[in-house]
């Protein structure tokens, strides 16, 4: 989106190969070139799925959308 994509672009420029947690995998040539791994998590409140997606990561950037269950999404990310 408007925030995640520029952050990933900046991480690629700095030599990182970030992982993006997405609802659906979308073709992205810049991400492919930067070796961005897209991991599907359909339900952002699913602690188990998030924990699996975060495995091996040493840092996480989280931005919850402005939705009704905003607190639940944020809490699940922290728990994962």
């Amino acid at each position: 989106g408007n925030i995640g994509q520029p952050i990933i672009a900046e991480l690629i420029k700095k030599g990182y190969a970030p992982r993006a947690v997405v609802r659906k995998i979308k073709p992205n040539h810049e991400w492919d070139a930067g070796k961005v791994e897209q991991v599907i998590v359909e339900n952002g409140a699913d602690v188990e799925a998030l924990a699996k997606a975060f495995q091996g990561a040493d840092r996480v950037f989280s931005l919850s959308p402005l939705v009704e269950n905003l607190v639940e999404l944020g809490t699940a990310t922290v728990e994962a």
Side-chain angles (χ1 to χ4, degrees):
N2 295 328
I3 296 173
Q5 287 193 19
I7 288 172
I8 287 179
E10 199 59 36
L11 290 169
I12 292 169
K13 284 182 194 174
K14 293 183 180 209
Y16 293 98
R19 180 182 307 150
V21 176
V22 298
R23 283 180 274 178
K24 291 168 67 174
I25 292 180
K26 297 178 184 173
N28 187 314
H29 299 297
E30 180 183 340
W31 287 17
D32 292 342
K35 299 185 177 166
V36 175
E37 177 186 3
Q38 294 186 57
V39 178
I40 296 173
V41 174
E42 293 177 4
N43 177 358
D46 184 342
V47 175
E48 187 176 315
L50 288 169
K52 186 176 178 181
F54 297 163
Q55 260 183 334
D58 59 359
R59 293 177 207 146
V60 173
F61 172 80
S62 174
L63 177 67
S64 297
L66 294 174
V67 292
E68 192 172 306
N69 65 337
L70 171 72
V71 173
E72 183 182 6
L73 297 175
T75 301
T77 299
V78 172
E79 286 180 19

